[in-house]
């Protein structure tokens, strides 16, 4: 293979990308060396099995991916700003919308939420870590290396260009030769291992590690939404695993699952993809609902209205999510009966979702709302998401869908549910729990600026797109005609305003890192209701010195009334902790190498990598490291310091 | 996390961590069921789409497949006996029965490889048609699982030799046992819905 086939050449934007990658990498290496931080990086972060640190790494990676996906979005909006623009050519435009969609769903939304779950769920249930801390590290590194593999594609080998849905036969080896689609298949496959493992890990953690007295119906609602999400992950992700594997085998080993020759069935890809893909939508929205519920209860200073119906609604939504997948391709022509069935199941989802909306409104009703930034994101979510939901019901009507299908009406709809739903929740959750992660709050003034810019930019960007869709503008076209100019131009302005909002948000993080006061309470906002706020800030590595007894889903409210804390000196015992290990990082680095080789169809190298990964599993099997214990003296010292106790206390 | 032992339970359930590992593995098996269901569904959809390649009824042989089925079912039985010996506290019995399970697993694999080679020589390979793609990937995935199970059992046998019966080693044996029985169940579905239907239709 020639070097110019290996690297992508001939595109000024991609050369710029290469230069910036080289510069950023060089800067990072220089800074680590200059400040002698390599050992710190390895010992404190790369080998960690602490759920809080892993969660932080998830969120940092997700923010980086939000930046990458956002740049893709701005490039598309620039291309569509004026009729017949020449900013991106058709091929490059195809690559950009493919990577934008894939990155935002798989490498931004999901890891962001999984990062928040990592940090918060064990704290909410009074656990000291995940059920399987080692596996949790494996999950993170599999996501991280999967994301790196996918992102590599735009400078090495060429980016995938068949849309984030990667439909066959377009994505097959005849119509899309070369490594592009292989990057998609193997990047997702590698990251998928981690998602499934996290699903199992969190489910066992929630089922088996709750504080004494915390029955299922006394769990905080975010933990509930996580539990149901793990259920969806466990039954949906294997379908993606199979679909990706079958297409990989089609492309590399010449089978005929989705090909036009050999009596293959291209539409089977669409079925398999959406049998995973629709539950996936709920994997990224249910935890978001959980986050909003926590924030509303906290800043409305009221118990969540209709806790039991909330739980019921989540369960029903999860069940329905598995039986609606055909609504993504009503126009395939499955027939009136099949389309009617899926149309009805689709519209039924609006019922439990509506229940949740009314529960939130009822919680807010006659309450004393504290307008903090996380609360602003949450309040903006309710009406914005409802617009997305209502247009979703419109799309769900099979007969009408023949009109809306594949138009900007659809594009606007799913951005209206995913951005106010998932992205707002990610921002809200990050700001809300930020003090528990970093020991200081984010600056509220800057946060409000970021919020208003992002919110206004969002509506300016996507509201016109409904009308563009009704005017007949198809999705994924790379130039627009003059009749669509005005609305497209407004939309582009909105996109850049959102981008500005994001930059200000990141500025807020840096500003707060330097100037925010550090000396804050465990219950940092002062209105906390659940156990994560019972821990001191910053949280000790073992989370809870003593695990409290729980008898309602607002456990901290009860503890405050009784004057209890998570530091009861009479009950202290040595705490068992797992050891840090570099194995997960090394194992996944080897699998990254194997997947990279398979992308270029270098079979021998891929097999060597696979054997290496199996050797790593053997090493793990023979590893009988029992961890260590934190002794009582050390716990007392840590807690006294974290709780700023004086000597006589 | 906690190491408190409860005497009433079998050794593999005696620690909280051991219990969680076993629950976790059951959940993993649920995911495996979803995985194999997808493969079975794919196979069913592609059934009959043989293009120019031979039809399954021309190639499937009742004899070989029956032998394979008996070997694998017997291996599940010997695996059960291994766990029984473990519960009785007999390390030697456990290792003998586990080793026998392993030998049976290997002979199953031998037959499967022979069968695949035979089909390919008759003109039915992975790339021959959609049907044969579905067949090879479904049965092949099961075969890869069996192979991994064998490697896993070897690792556990070595650990048993090194450490004897502890809360950790018994938990590992128990989990690999669950895995092995699961593969047996999958094979029963392959035997009925792939081979028996394939021979009749």
């Amino acid at each position: 293979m020639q070097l110019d086939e290996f690297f992508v050449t001939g595109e000024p934007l991609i050369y710029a990308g290469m230069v910036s990658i080289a510069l950023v990498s060089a800067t990072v290496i220089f800074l680590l060396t200059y400040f002698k931080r390599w050992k710190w990086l390895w010992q404190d972060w790369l080998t960690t099995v602490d759920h809080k640190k892993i969660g932080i790494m998830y969120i940092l990676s997700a923010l980086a991916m939000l930046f990458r996906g956002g740049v893709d979005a701005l490039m598309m909006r620039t291309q569509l700003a004026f009729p017949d623009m020449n900013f991106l050519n058709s091929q490059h435009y195809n690559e950009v919308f493919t990577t934008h969609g894939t990155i935002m769903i798989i490498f931004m939304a999901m890891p962001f939420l999984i990062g928040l779950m990592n940090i918060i769920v064990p704290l909410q249930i009074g656990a000291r870590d995940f059920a399987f801390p080692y596996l949790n590290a494996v999950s993170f590194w599999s996501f991280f290396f999967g994301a790196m593999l996918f992102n590599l594609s735009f400078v090495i080998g060429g980016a995938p260009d068949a849309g984030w849905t990667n439909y066959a036969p377009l994505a097959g080896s005849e119509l899309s030769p070369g490594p592009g689609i292989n990057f998609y298949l193997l990047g997702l496959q590698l990251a998928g291992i981690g998602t499934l493992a996290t699903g199992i890990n969190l489910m066992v953690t929630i089922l088996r590690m709750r504080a004494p007295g915390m029955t299922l119906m006394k769990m905080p609602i975010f933990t509930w939404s996580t539990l149901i999400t793990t259920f969806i992950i466990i039954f949906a992700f294997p379908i993606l695993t199979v679909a990706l594997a079958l297409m990989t085998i089609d492309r590399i080993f010449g089978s005929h699952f989705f090909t036009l020759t050999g009596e293959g069935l291209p539409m089977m890809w669409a079925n398999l993809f959406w049998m995973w893909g629709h539950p996936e939508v709920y994997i990224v929205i249910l935890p978001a609902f959980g986050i909003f519920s926590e924030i509303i209860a906290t800043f409305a200073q009221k118990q969540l209205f209709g806790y039991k119906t909330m739980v019921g609604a989540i369960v029903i939504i999860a069940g329905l999510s598995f039986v609606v997948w055909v609504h993504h391709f009503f126009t395939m022509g499955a027939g009136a009966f099949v389309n009617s069935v899926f149309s009805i199941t689709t519209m039924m989802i609006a019922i439990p979702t509506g229940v949740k909306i009314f529960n939130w409104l009822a919680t807010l009703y006659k309450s004393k709302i504290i307008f903090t930034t996380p609360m602003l994101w949450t309040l903006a979510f309710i009406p914005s998401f409802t617009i997305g939901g209502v247009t979703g019901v419109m799309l769900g009507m099979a007969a009408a869908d023949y009109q809306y299908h594949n138009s900007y009406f659809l594009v606007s709809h799913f951005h209206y549910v995913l951005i106010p739903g998932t992205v707002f929740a990610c921002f809200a959750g990050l700001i809300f729990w930020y003090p528990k992660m970093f020991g200081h709050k984010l600056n509220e003034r800057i946060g409000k600026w970021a919020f208003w810019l992002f919110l206004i930019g969002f509506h300016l960007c996507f509201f016109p797109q409904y009308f563009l869709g009704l005017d007949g503008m198809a999705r994924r076209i790379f130039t627009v005609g003059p009749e669509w100019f005005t609305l497209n131009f407004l939309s582009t302005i909105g996109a850049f305003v959102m981008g500005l909002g994001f930059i200000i948000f990141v500025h807020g993080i840096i500003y707060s890192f330097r100037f925010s006061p550090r000396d804050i309470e465990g219950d940092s906002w002062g209105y906390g209701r659940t156990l994560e706020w019972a821990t001191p800030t910053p949280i000790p590595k073992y989370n809870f010195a003593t695990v409290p007894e729980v008898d309602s889903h607002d456990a901290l409210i009860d503890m405050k009334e009784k004057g209890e804390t998570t530091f009861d000196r009479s009950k202290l015992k040595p705490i068992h902790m797992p050891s840090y290990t570099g194995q997960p990082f090394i194992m996944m680095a080897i699998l990254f190498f194997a997947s990279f080789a398979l992308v270029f169809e270098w079979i021998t190298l891929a097999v060597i990598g696979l054997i290496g990964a199996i050797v790593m599993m053997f090493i793990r099997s023979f590893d009988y490291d029992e961890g260590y214990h934190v002794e009582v003296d050390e716990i007392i010292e840590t807690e006294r310091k974290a709780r700023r106790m004086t000597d006589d206390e | 996390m906690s190491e408190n032992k409860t005497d009433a339970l079998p050794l593999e359930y005696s620690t909280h961590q051991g219990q969680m590992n076993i629950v976790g593995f059951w959940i993993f098996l649920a995911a495996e069921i979803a995985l194999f269901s997808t493969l079975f569904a794919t196979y069913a959809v592609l059934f009959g789409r043989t293009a120019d390649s031979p039809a399954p009824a021309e190639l499937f042989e009742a004899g070989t497949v029956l032998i394979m089925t008996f070997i694998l079912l017997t291996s599940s039985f010997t695996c059960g006996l291994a766990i029984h010996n473990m519960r009785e506290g007999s390390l030697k019995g456990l290792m003998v029965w586990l080793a026998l399970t392993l030998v049976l697993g290997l002979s199953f694999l031998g037959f499967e490889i022979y069968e695949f080679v035979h089909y390919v020589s008759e003109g039915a390979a992975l790339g021959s048609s959609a049907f044969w793609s579905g067949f090879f990937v479904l049965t092949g995935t099961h075969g890869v699982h069996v192979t991994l199970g064998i490697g896993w059992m070897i690792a556990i046998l070595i650990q048993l030799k090194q450490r004897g019966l502890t809360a950790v080693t018994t938990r590992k044996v128990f989990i690999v046992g669950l895995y092995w029985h699961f593969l047996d169940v999958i094979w029963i579905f392959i035997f009925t819905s792939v081979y028996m239907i394939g021979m009749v239709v």
Side-chain angles (χ1 to χ4, degrees):
Chain A
M1 177 181 267
Q2 301 291 315
L3 209 58
D4 64 338
E5 290 171 27
F6 189 69
F7 287 106
V8 178
T9 51
E11 277 281 345
L13 284 171
I14 289 176
Y15 287 136
M18 286 177 186
V19 171
S20 55
I21 289 175
L23 281 178
V24 170
S25 315
T27 316
V28 170
I29 291 170
F30 173 76
L31 287 176
L32 284 170
T33 315
Y34 185 78
F35 290 105
K36 300 196 172 61
R37 283 305 187 107
W38 284 103
K39 203 173 169 192
W40 163 82
L41 180 70
W42 178 258
Q43 286 186 341
D44 279 14
W45 293 95
L46 301 190
T47 59
T48 187
V49 294
D50 182 338
H51 71 100
K52 300 179 285 293
K53 288 189 171 178
I54 291 176
I56 288 171
M57 292 196 289
Y58 264 117
I59 290 173
L60 288 180
S61 316
L63 281 172
M65 289 295 104
L66 181 58
F67 176 75
R68 156 87 210 264
V71 170
D72 283 346
L74 292 183
M75 282 162 70
M76 282 189 280
R77 282 318 317 170
T78 307
Q79 169 67 19
L80 298 177
F82 300 99
D84 301 317
M85 274 282 277
N86 255 331
F87 178 63
L88 301 174
N89 62 34
S90 60
Q91 172 61 25
H92 199 173
Y93 189 85
N94 290 349
E95 293 176 4
V96 168
F97 73 65
T98 303
T99 53
H100 168 75
T102 316
I103 285 175
M104 285 300 200
I105 296 280
I106 308 276
F107 301 124
M108 191 288 285
M110 228 178 8
F112 209 129
L113 293 167
I114 288 178
L116 289 171
M117 292 173 185
N118 251 276
I119 298 166
I120 299 307
V121 167
L123 294 175
Q124 280 197 331
I125 61 174
R128 293 203 165 108
D129 205 319
F130 270 40
F132 315 116
Y134 179 100
L135 186 66
N136 196 23
V138 171
S139 295
F140 171 74
W141 290 111
S142 99
F143 147 70
F144 181 84
F145 281 114
M148 287 305 106
L149 185 67
F150 187 85
N151 276 278
L152 215 54
S153 64
F154 88 102
V155 288
I156 294 175
D161 56 357
W164 90 279
T165 51
N166 204 45
Y167 275 179
L170 175 61
S173 55
E174 293 86 8
L175 296 173
S176 295
I181 305 290
N182 294 350
F183 272 114
Y184 172 95
L185 295 168
L186 290 155
L188 263 61
Q189 191 72 283
L190 192 54
I193 300 170
T195 311
L196 180 61
T198 297
I200 296 172
N201 209 340
L202 269 167
M203 188 180 259
V204 179
T205 308
I206 296 174
L207 290 179
R208 298 306 298 267
M209 292 178 75
R210 296 192 308 278
M214 187 184 277
T215 57
L216 284 178
M217 290 312 276
K218 286 176 186 160
M219 293 197 305
I221 199 81
F222 178 59
T223 302
W224 250 116
S225 67
T226 303
L227 178 64
I228 302 302
T229 306
T230 62
F231 181 86
I232 306 181
I233 289 176
I234 287 158
F235 287 100
F237 261 80
I239 306 175
L240 177 71
T241 306
V242 170
L244 293 170
L246 298 186
M247 191 178 272
T248 311
I249 299 171
D250 259 9
R251 289 179 55 88
I252 298 179
F253 302 102
S255 60
H256 289 289
F257 289 103
F258 312 120
T259 57
L260 292 167
T261 53
E263 294 199 38
L265 282 172
M267 274 317 287
M268 198 170 64
W269 167 267
N271 275 285
L272 291 179
F273 181 87
W274 286 113
M275 282 165 83
W276 159 78
H278 201 86
E280 164 68 17
V281 174
Y282 290 90
I283 293 172
V284 297
I285 202 68
L286 290 182
F289 288 168
I291 294 169
F292 289 131
S293 305
E294 297 286 2
I295 292 174
I296 286 181
T298 305
F299 293 116
Q301 306 181 66
K302 267 170 76 180
Q303 193 179 357
L304 187 67
F305 183 89
Y307 172 87
K308 283 180 186 163
T309 52
M310 278 301 207
V311 173
I314 301 173
V315 173
I316 293 169
I317 292 174
L320 286 174
S321 77
F322 280 93
V323 290
V324 297
W325 79 90
V326 172
H327 72 211
H328 294 274
F329 42 88
F330 279 141
T331 54
M332 176 172 111
F337 178 71
V338 172
N339 279 1
S340 306
V341 169
F342 282 91
S343 191
I344 290 166
T345 53
T346 303
M347 286 189 272
M348 273 163 64
I349 291 192
I351 301 168
T353 316
V355 168
K356 295 185 77 71
I357 299 270
F358 284 113
N359 278 339
W360 288 316
L361 294 178
T363 312
L364 292 169
Y365 180 66
K366 282 193 173 174
S367 68
K368 276 212 173 92
I369 299 177
I370 318 273
F371 288 96
T372 55
T373 7
M375 192 60 170
L376 288 180
W377 286 104
T378 307
L379 293 175
F381 145 79
I382 297 175
S384 311
F385 183 84
T386 307
I387 297 174
V390 169
T391 50
V393 176
M394 290 166 72
L395 282 156
M397 293 183 283
D401 182 68
Y402 274 69
Q403 294 300 314
Y404 307 133
H405 184 79
N406 226 27
S407 74
Y408 260 73
F409 189 84
L410 168 76
V411 173
S412 190
H413 155 70
F414 66 68
H415 284 96
Y416 254 89
V417 282
L418 282 170
I419 294 179
T422 308
V423 179
F424 283 18
C426 290
F427 282 136
L430 179 61
I431 303 165
F432 184 50
W433 284 307
Y434 201 84
K436 299 270 54 152
M437 303 174 199
F438 297 99
H440 62 88
K441 278 194 201 174
L442 285 174
N443 183 291
E444 287 277 289
R445 192 176 46 85
I446 301 175
K448 282 175 184 165
W449 271 99
F451 162 74
W452 283 110
L453 282 171
F454 201 89
L455 179 71
I456 293 167
F458 162 73
H459 283 285
L460 187 57
C461 180
F462 291 103
F463 205 68
Q465 293 185 5
Y466 281 125
F467 299 96
L468 282 170
L470 295 175
D471 279 352
M473 181 171 160
R475 75 192 286 205
R476 292 173 174 166
I477 54 168
F478 85 108
T479 50
V480 294
E483 69 275 26
W484 296 321
F485 164 70
T486 317
L487 289 174
N488 267 305
F489 189 71
L490 284 177
S491 179
T492 301
I493 293 173
F496 278 90
V497 176
M498 282 168 90
L500 187 62
F502 177 73
I503 290 172
I504 289 177
F505 186 81
V506 173
H507 164 70
I509 292 178
I510 298 164
Y511 180 90
S512 312
F513 175 72
R514 295 175 60 193
F515 301 116
S516 272
R518 291 302 191 274
D519 206 27
I520 52 174
E521 293 297 309
D523 181 10
S524 321
W525 297 94
Y527 308 102
R529 311 182 73 82
T530 40
L531 281 184
E532 75 268 33
W533 305 107
T535 56
T537 303
I539 309 171
K541 59 187 169 184
Y542 49 78
N543 296 351
F544 296 90
T546 48
V547 180
E549 286 268 344
V550 175
D551 51 20
S552 81
H553 53 79
D554 291 329
L556 181 61
I557 300 281
D558 298 349
M559 286 173 70
K560 281 177 184 166
E561 277 169 16
K562 292 184 209 152
E564 290 173 356
T565 66
T566 59
F567 178 49
D568 183 346
R569 208 178 281 205
S570 59
K571 289 189 198 154
L572 287 181
K573 276 186 205 154
I575 296 170
H576 177 257
M577 300 288 291
S579 310
Y580 281 16
T581 163
Q583 287 175 25
F585 179 84
I586 297 168
M587 188 191 292
M588 285 302 149
I590 294 173
L591 269 183
F592 170 82
F593 167 81
S595 311
F596 183 79
L598 201 55
V599 163
F600 286 92
E601 304 181 22
W602 300 330
I603 304 299
T604 324
L605 277 180
V607 170
I608 293 171
L610 205 58
I611 292 171
I614 291 172
V615 169
M616 282 307 295
M617 288 185 204
F618 262 78
I619 292 174
R620 164 62 178 165
S621 181
F622 284 88
D623 175 7
Y624 276 73
D625 188 339
E626 300 266 320
Y628 64 98
H629 283 85
V630 185
E631 297 304 331
V632 172
D633 292 345
E634 194 189 335
I635 300 174
I636 293 176
E637 199 188 321
T638 316
E639 293 285 323
R640 290 177 64 91
K641 203 171 145 220
R643 292 170 191 274
R644 290 177 285 282
M645 290 177 168
T646 47
D647 281 338
D648 48 311
E649 274 180 275
Chain B
M1 292 285 136
S2 72
E3 317 283 290
N4 344 325
K5 305 213 168 168
T6 337
D7 290 332
L9 293 165
L11 200 51
E12 68 269 20
Y13 281 103
S14 62
T15 62
H16 188 223
Q17 188 65 46
Q19 292 176 10
M20 290 201 296
N21 281 45
I22 292 168
V23 173
F25 196 79
W26 275 108
I27 298 173
F28 172 74
L29 287 183
E32 285 272 56
I33 289 173
L35 183 126
F36 275 103
S37 308
T38 314
L39 286 171
F40 274 108
T42 307
Y43 174 83
V45 169
L46 297 177
F47 190 81
R49 304 181 77 90
T50 45
D52 304 327
S53 58
E58 295 168 29
L59 294 184
F60 288 171
E61 284 167 19
T64 330
V65 182
L66 262 178
I67 295 171
M68 285 163 76
T69 307
F70 277 119
I71 291 175
L72 207 61
L73 288 183
T74 314
S75 83
S76 226
F77 180 59
T78 56
C79 183
L81 288 177
I83 304 281
H84 179 70
N85 273 279
M86 179 178 89
R87 291 268 170 89
E88 303 274 292
S90 160
L91 176 64
K92 189 162 171 259
L94 164 63
M95 291 184 65
V96 168
W97 287 112
L98 209 56
L100 193 62
T101 309
L102 213 150
V103 172
L104 287 168
L106 274 173
S107 45
F108 169 85
L109 268 187
F111 273 100
E112 184 155 63
I113 292 166
Y114 160 79
E115 186 207 354
F116 282 3
V117 171
H118 173 67
Y119 292 163
V120 171
S121 69
E122 297 283 330
L126 179 73
S128 301
S129 66
F131 169 80
W132 287 108
S133 301
F135 170 83
F136 278 106
V137 170
L138 171 57
T139 52
T141 306
H142 177 265
V144 169
H145 274 75
V146 172
T147 316
L148 286 175
I150 290 169
W152 188 3
M153 271 187 199
I154 293 172
I156 290 174
L157 275 173
I158 299 169
Q159 289 168 40
L160 281 171
K161 186 85 188 152
Q162 287 171 342
R163 293 164 190 275
L165 296 176
T166 68
V168 178
T169 52
T170 51
R171 180 248 293 162
K172 289 188 177 191
V173 174
F174 187 78
I175 286 177
V176 85
L178 287 180
Y179 180 76
W180 199 259
H181 294 309
F182 168 76
L183 293 183
D184 220 34
V185 173
I186 295 294
W187 179 260
I188 290 170
F189 280 95
I190 292 181
F191 177 67
T192 47
S193 66
V194 174
Y195 289 103
M196 287 177 70
I197 292 178
M199 273 182 268
V200 178
V201 180

